[in-house]
Amino acid sequence: SVSIVVQEIRDEKLPQVDLLLFIEEGTPARVGEVSVIGNDLTRQQVVLRQMQLKPERPLDSELLDQSKKDIEATRLFEPGSVKITVQPEDPERPGVHDVNIEVHETNTGQFNFGVAVGSDAGVVGQIGMVQKNFDVLSPPHTFEELFSGQAFRGAGQTFDVEILPGTVSQTYSATLVEPYLFESEYSGSATVFFSTRDYREFDERRYGARVGVGRRFGTLWKGNIVARAESIDLSNIEPDRPVDVFEVEDQHSLTGVGVEFTRDTTNDRFRPWRGNHVSLGVEQVGAMGGDFDFTHFRYQSAAFFAVSETFLGYHTVLKL
């Protein structure tokens, strides 16, 4: 209950009065069961992991709004389709409200095709396939499931295949990213690749793999540990090249282990107009053997400022 008592004027020469506001708090509302509706292919846990409201916790409206933004940021559902509703109080459990999350799934697969021509790189084609709601543990049981898009979907993983054939260079790679490894705060990624390039001075061929494990620390910080192993083969070296190039002729191996920390305060994952993104990393090449031994440091910082905003909410952004 809320009541307001008006006090007498303190000073007749000033247009001011004192207001006393009396608030009598009732039983704090708590979260009951959290249910997901409309996820025919997507696993329920993919949605629930974005919910900051948990059963038996206080029902916080700010966390409710933030959870909706986090679910929409996954881009696994139709824009504007995510609805979170608080149900009436459970008569058998005073102060407890169930929460329903309604979603409408969308097409999370992308297929890209392109061609580029350059004086140095020649003609390069691009064929790319990305599935942002991949599930490596959901193989098809029938050919119909395979061609209808119901197989290998639903776990919120990202699977990216890129094919770049060309007259001078070729690159082929496949990447799998699991943002919540074993439903924990850890993430995992793995990449395999093969590339060739005919430089003017020599020809280069590489193939290898990268694996990484990351962890989130709160909402701003994230750390990653990445290991890589590559095979590098240089051939057809021009006679007038430096001696250092001939020393790495033929096949050599390269390994590396690196650590990277990032801090992200941007307000939007894909189109930020406020905040900054900072990353700092170090890699020790030769940590697991190989023919090379050196240390590689990396630092990157980006800041975003909204210069102007239209009445429709579009921003002109300055990025430094």
Side-chain angles (χ1 to χ4, degrees):
S1 61
V2 179
S3 61
I4 299 178
V5 178
V6 181
Q7 297 287 80
E8 296 182 356
I9 298 177
R10 292 180 298 175
D11 191 341
E12 296 181 355
K13 297 181 180 180
L14 297 176
Q16 296 177 350
V17 296
D18 291 338
L19 297 180
L20 297 182
L21 179 64
F22 296 90
I23 301 177
E24 184 178 348
E25 293 185 347
T27 303
R30 292 180 293 121
V31 179
E33 182 180 356
V34 181
S35 304
V36 183
I37 305 171
N39 54 321
D40 298 329
L41 293 174
T42 305
R43 295 184 186 181
Q44 180 169 280
Q45 193 60 33
V46 174
V47 182
L48 294 180
R49 65 174 58 141
Q50 303 298 332
M51 279 292 293
Q52 300 190 32
L53 289 176
K54 306 299 181 182
E56 301 302 327
R57 297 286 184 86
L59 185 58
D60 191 321
S61 60
E62 292 185 1
L63 294 182
L64 202 68
D65 295 337
Q66 185 60 46
S67 299
K68 179 181 178 180
K69 293 179 181 179
D70 292 342
I71 296 174
E72 292 175 340
T74 63
R75 297 199 170 186
L76 302 181
F77 310 101
E78 294 182 3
S81 67
V82 179
K83 297 181 180 179
I84 302 180
T85 57
V86 178
Q87 303 304 305
E89 184 181 76
D90 188 346
E92 299 181 357
R93 303 177 64 190
V96 177
H97 299 260
D98 293 339
V99 177
N100 289 345
I101 309 170
E102 184 178 352
V103 297
H104 295 278
E105 294 177 323
T106 185
N107 183 16
T108 53
Q110 296 180 0
F111 181 80
N112 302 316
F113 177 79
V115 177
V117 180
S119 60
D120 183 56
V123 180
V124 180
Q126 180 187 21
I127 302 174
M129 183 191 70
V130 181
Q131 175 54 255
K132 298 180 180 179
N133 196 12
F134 192 74
D135 188 352
V136 70
L137 299 179
S138 180
H141 297 90
T142 63
F143 284 103
E144 182 181 357
E145 290 185 356
L146 177 62
F147 293 105
S148 64
Q150 296 182 349
F152 293 113
R153 287 185 62 189
Q157 302 164 355
T158 299
F159 183 61
D160 187 354
V161 175
E162 191 172 43
I163 302 174
L164 302 173
T167 58
V168 176
S169 65
Q170 301 182 55
T171 302
Y172 308 92
S173 66
T175 301
L176 177 65
V177 178
E178 169 56 78
Y180 292 85
L181 200 60
F182 305 114
E183 296 302 329
S184 68
E185 290 297 319
Y186 292 87
S187 62
S189 63
T191 300
V192 293
F193 68 91
F194 173 83
S195 67
T196 63
R197 176 70 185 263
D198 297 337
Y199 292 95
R200 296 177 181 176
E201 300 84 3
F202 53 83
D203 297 340
E204 179 188 87
R205 182 181 66 181
R206 289 175 180 253
Y207 62 87
R210 299 183 182 93
V211 294
V213 177
R215 191 186 191 284
R216 287 168 292 275
F217 301 95
T219 59
L220 301 181
W221 287 91
K222 184 178 181 181
N224 288 287
I225 299 177
V226 181
R228 63 167 171 156
E230 299 182 13
S231 174
I232 308 170
D233 188 354
L234 297 188
S235 60
N236 297 328
I237 301 176
E238 293 291 334
D240 60 347
R241 291 299 88 198
V243 176
D244 291 347
V245 179
F246 285 95
E247 289 182 353
V248 291
E249 187 178 10
D250 298 329
Q251 192 273 336
H252 290 78
S253 61
L254 181 150
T255 67
V257 177
V259 179
E260 182 182 41
F261 290 95
T262 61
R263 184 178 186 271
D264 192 351
T265 62
T266 56
N267 63 320
D268 189 277
R269 186 183 306 177
F270 302 97
R271 296 185 179 89
W273 67 86
R274 184 177 63 252
N276 59 74
H277 181 94
V278 179
S279 64
L280 176 65
V282 58
E283 180 187 30
Q284 181 59 50
V285 173
M288 299 182 294
D291 300 315
F292 304 96
D293 186 6
F294 60 89
T295 305
H296 181 203
F297 292 94
R298 297 185 304 276
Y299 174 76
Q300 183 178 11
S301 177
F304 301 86
F305 304 92
V307 179
S308 63
E309 180 181 0
T310 67
F311 67 95
L312 294 177
Y314 298 106
H315 296 84
T316 300
V317 183
L318 173 64
K319 177 185 176 182
L320 301 178

